[in-house]
Amino acid sequence: MIRVSRAVAAHANAALAATNKSGLNELECALWYYSDIVPDKPKLPKKPRAAPKFSAYRDQRVKDALISMFGGRCAYCESSYDHTGPMAVEHYRPKGGYLDENGKLRKPGYFWLAADWNNLLPSCTDCNGERNQVRRIDGALVKSKSGKANKFPLAAGSPRATGPAGIQAEVPLLLNPCNDNPQHHLFFREDGFVEPAADAHERSVPKGMVTIDVCGLDRVALIAQRRSYALRLASCMRRVLECDGNIIKYPADMSFDSQHTNALKSLNDLCRDSDYQALTQGLAAFFRLLQAATIDYFQAVELWRASPVAVHRQRVITTIAKLKRFFDPAAPFSDLARRLIPPDFLMGR
């Protein structure tokens, strides 16, 4: 999950505000039926006798705007829909009812947000609907239900909104990629697993932990997809580092320049096209730091070879020490660092 700016979607909003035969839109019908808020109309139809059947959000203009905003990917797990099935238009705050802290369905839900553009997200069927999934929990494969459905957990002590005025007081525990910064709450590992981020924001309000559980972001099939991308990225990264070393070691050989250009293009193309941008962006940021330290090491080695004096030897030792920090088991992506630059390689140099 990555942060996505909410787009201004005129066509989608027009669809959501469309009126029915009585001249009312879904919001007006819902507020009148549930809250006795009479629409401000010069000529009023009869008050609705039944709860509105929300359907405006299914309009293709709404779907198209959501697809465009999220690049054809699920707002929660980032999978392309062609990997998981058709897109579902997800109500972040559930429109029909919500599960309380005891798991009991309470109605009505957030009816006034059923046709609100700011409450809609694109979702895959696995994240949107509750069903049995194979998940990896505490290292074990477990069959359990996941998927958001009517879940909308709030922080302990948070009031539950019963109308538009109460929204600001709520403290949701489910991440919204248009309102929250998921990077503060989720950490995607190079082996495909996801875990709550070691971040002050997550310690304060555990949105990452709850979102993983509610949406099943630890589904085995999803872990496998992310791991597959990470392995492809690692292969491209390894090739870039090899080319960095060759350019520094053999500066007169121009063939290494073209190889380096091609290696960088392959890596950048994969980063750009990856479904799983939260994982990809984390790995790419890590790689930039590792690459800079590796280039310093390569340059130090060549300088020492050209002039084996004490100061140059010390620079090699210093750059090795900096690289070894990436191998610390407590450091993020330390396993990836070992695959890209085996520690015995440095010792051998």
Side-chain angles (χ1 to χ4, degrees), residues 82-341:
D82 56 0
H83 292 171
T84 58
M87 182 194 83
V89 178
E90 148 74 356
H91 288 79
Y92 174 67
R93 285 178 166 87
K95 62 187 185 300
Y98 62 89
L99 297 183
D100 66 15
E101 60 274 12
N102 298 314
K104 184 176 181 179
L105 182 63
R106 300 288 185 178
K107 292 186 176 184
Y110 297 81
F111 56 86
W112 65 96
L113 298 176
D116 189 323
W117 168 245
N118 293 312
N119 191 47
L120 302 180
L121 296 168
S123 176
C124 69
T125 53
D126 284 331
C127 288
N128 178 255
E130 186 178 63
R131 58 182 180 172
N132 286 321
Q133 299 281 359
V134 178
R135 301 167 63 188
R136 187 171 288 278
I137 302 175
D138 295 329
L141 294 178
V142 177
K143 273 192 175 182
S144 69
K145 286 186 177 181
S146 70
K148 182 174 173 288
N150 290 306
K151 303 184 190 78
F152 193 69
L154 301 177
S158 171
R160 176 80 63 176
T162 57
I167 291 294
Q168 294 301 319
E170 283 192 340
V171 183
L173 289 178
L174 185 72
L175 285 168
N176 183 332
C178 292
N179 297 339
D180 300 304
N181 188 343
Q183 187 177 5
H184 291 157
H185 296 275
L186 297 171
F187 176 67
F188 290 87
R189 293 167 21 187
E190 68 267 30
D191 58 5
F193 287 84
V194 59
E195 58 193 28
D199 187 284
H201 294 83
E202 177 66 13
R203 288 191 291 272
S204 175
V205 183
K207 294 185 177 186
M209 180 179 68
V210 173
T211 302
I212 291 170
D213 183 59
V214 168
C215 296
L217 300 184
D218 52 2
R219 305 189 297 269
V220 168
L222 187 54
I223 290 171
Q225 286 282 351
R226 290 194 296 254
R227 183 187 297 121
S228 176
Y229 268 99
L231 289 172
R232 291 170 62 190
L233 283 169
S235 177
C236 289
M237 290 172 179
R238 182 65 182 268
R239 180 58 183 151
V240 170
L241 292 180
E242 290 173 351
C243 290
D244 285 337
N246 287 335
I247 286 176
I248 293 168
K249 191 173 182 178
Y250 308 106
D253 191 335
M254 294 296 102
S255 66
F256 289 124
D257 287 332
S258 61
Q259 291 177 19
H260 188 261
T261 299
N262 292 335
L264 273 178
K265 183 178 184 304
S266 295
L267 176 59
N268 291 334
D269 288 350
L270 185 58
C271 287
R272 183 195 63 227
D273 298 335
S274 168
D275 278 352
Y276 304 103
Q277 282 297 311
L279 169 67
T280 301
Q281 290 174 14
L283 291 177
F286 160 81
F287 178 69
R288 286 192 290 271
L289 296 175
L290 180 66
Q291 182 186 24
T294 305
I295 289 174
D296 284 347
Y297 166 74
F298 285 143
Q299 290 174 337
V301 168
E302 294 311 310
L303 187 60
W304 181 47
R305 283 177 172 168
S307 177
V309 295
V311 66
H312 295 160
R313 179 177 181 276
Q314 184 56 47
R315 182 179 172 185
V316 172
I317 293 171
T318 300
T319 58
I320 288 176
K322 288 181 179 178
L323 275 172
K324 283 185 175 180
R325 295 173 188 170
F326 291 94
F327 308 143
D328 186 336
F333 306 123
S334 58
D335 288 343
L336 176 61
R338 288 187 180 88
R339 288 201 301 274
L340 295 177
I341 308 176

Side-chain angles (χ1 to χ4, degrees), residues 67-88:
I67 290 170
S68 175
M69 187 166 68
F70 280 83
R73 300 183 180 98
C74 174
Y76 294 118
C77 75
E78 297 188 87
S79 295
S80 292
Y81 307 128
D82 56 0
H83 292 171
T84 58
M87 182 194 83

